[in-house]
Amino acid sequence: MNYRQFIAQPGKRFRFANHDPDFTAELKNPPAETPADLARQQDIFFAHKDHSILILFQAMDSAGKDDTIKHVLSSVDPQGCKATSFDEPSKKDFKHDYLWRYVRELPEAGQIGIFNRSYYEQVTAERIHPEKRKEWKLSIETKGDRLWPQRYQEINNFESYLNANGVTLIKCFLHISKHKQAERLFERTQLPEKKWKFSMTDLEDRRLWASYMKVYEEVINRTSTKTAPWYIIPGNHRWFTRAAVTSLVFATLKQFHARYPTGDKDQKKDLLKAQRLLKKEL
């Protein structure tokens, strides 16, 4: 699958109207990258331990973040992957800067980190709901509308810093239509395995759909960069969302290493020595 078709091109005006959430690329068969392919590529990545990958998921409620994350995790070694969900900030979080709790969960070398929602909540949800940002310790200079341009710059600087220090970002916005969201929210109220996910806040945010779309457009336009672009993944068909994200993660992993590490001269000597010793026992 050509995952590059989902990139919100830096420097080019992004609009949701130009991205069809029903898009499936007429894909009828499973993508070339199977779960086994993804597992092997992740194992090679884990063995080298020289870079890390951070996958961010942002979306409106019921767009399929949990389902997609579960699908990706089901294919890889849990030793090399960690998913973190971020709820409302705690009292302890409010005693620090807004990036602090995310920095604590960054993946180490060889790891894939997954953020179910991220610091982008601080330029989307907190913009739509001003009450959410009252607890942050903001200077006079950053209050009001001046806050958002500053945070965009801080986020871009932060992501540039991560990239320069061996952390590759994959930023996925799961793009679902308002009608499809209504179907899935209704489904949540009906199915026993989904009822626990339902909250009336889902409907409250749904009434603010147009505001969220406007804010997300601005965020994507301001923070889709060459080193950390946004990928707008069509979200109306769960199977395609999973396939697209799997293809994207596989292609990213493959950019690093095609084979397992061979080791240096000392390690090769140790291997030969170990083989001789073990052969005597066998």
Side-chain angles (χ1 to χ4, degrees), residues 54-274:
L54 177 60
I55 310 172
L56 308 184
F57 286 98
Q58 291 289 148
M60 296 295 286
D61 289 315
S62 76
K65 297 186 303 299
D66 293 348
D67 179 71
T68 304
I69 291 169
K70 189 184 299 183
H71 179 78
V72 173
L73 286 176
S74 68
S75 304
V76 299
D77 184 346
Q79 295 181 93
C81 192
K82 178 186 177 184
T84 306
S85 294
F86 292 97
D87 296 321
E88 296 294 324
S90 66
K91 289 183 178 179
K92 185 175 182 180
D93 294 327
F94 284 127
K95 292 180 180 179
H96 297 268
D97 64 276
Y98 69 94
L99 289 174
W100 177 76
R101 64 177 181 151
Y102 305 104
V103 172
R104 292 194 307 160
E105 302 298 336
L106 289 173
E108 60 188 57
Q111 298 276 326
I112 297 175
I114 297 176
F115 283 3
N116 187 344
R117 299 194 185 278
S118 68
Y119 42 86
Y120 280 99
E121 292 293 297
Q122 272 62 61
V123 286
T124 53
E126 287 193 5
R127 188 165 182 178
I128 302 295
H129 300 281
E131 68 279 5
K132 290 179 179 288
R133 60 178 185 267
K134 287 182 178 179
E135 297 297 323
W136 294 113
K137 307 300 184 287
L138 301 175
S139 66
I140 295 175
E141 291 76 15
T142 56
K143 291 185 177 180
D145 291 340
R146 289 172 292 183
L147 176 62
W148 313 116
Q150 176 165 322
R151 282 193 174 175
Y152 296 148
Q153 188 60 55
E154 289 166 350
I155 287 172
N156 287 339
N157 289 343
F158 176 60
E159 292 179 345
S160 178
Y161 167 81
L162 292 180
N163 183 266
N165 284 273
V167 183
T168 296
L169 282 98
I170 302 175
K171 302 189 302 191
C172 299
F173 183 87
L174 306 188
H175 181 30
I176 188 176
S177 68
K178 190 176 182 181
H179 180 75
K180 179 60 71 172
Q181 187 198 49
E183 289 182 0
R184 291 185 182 174
L185 288 177
F186 182 75
E187 185 180 68
R188 282 188 185 181
T189 68
Q190 297 290 304
L191 301 178
E193 68 272 21
K194 292 185 179 290
K195 286 181 180 179
W196 66 273
K197 285 186 175 184
F198 181 77
S199 169
M200 286 302 293
T201 58
D202 296 341
L203 296 186
E204 292 170 12
D205 277 349
R206 178 173 168 76
R207 286 194 287 269
L208 297 168
W209 182 277
S211 297
Y212 268 104
M213 293 297 100
K214 182 179 179 181
V215 167
Y216 265 119
E217 278 192 354
E218 181 176 313
V219 168
I220 291 168
N221 276 305
R222 296 293 294 271
T223 62
S224 192
T225 63
K226 185 176 180 180
T227 56
W230 276 101
Y231 294 89
I232 313 304
I233 309 296
N236 276 9
H237 302 279
R238 290 188 177 99
W239 66 269
F240 184 79
T241 303
R242 293 193 295 263
V245 172
T246 297
S247 178
L248 174 55
V249 175
F250 176 80
T252 304
L253 286 167
K254 200 171 182 181
Q255 289 174 4
F256 291 100
H257 302 285
R259 300 177 180 82
Y260 286 98
T262 57
D264 56 22
K265 291 181 178 180
D266 289 336
Q267 186 181 24
K268 289 177 181 178
K269 287 180 181 179
D270 289 342
L271 288 171
L272 291 172
K273 182 178 179 181

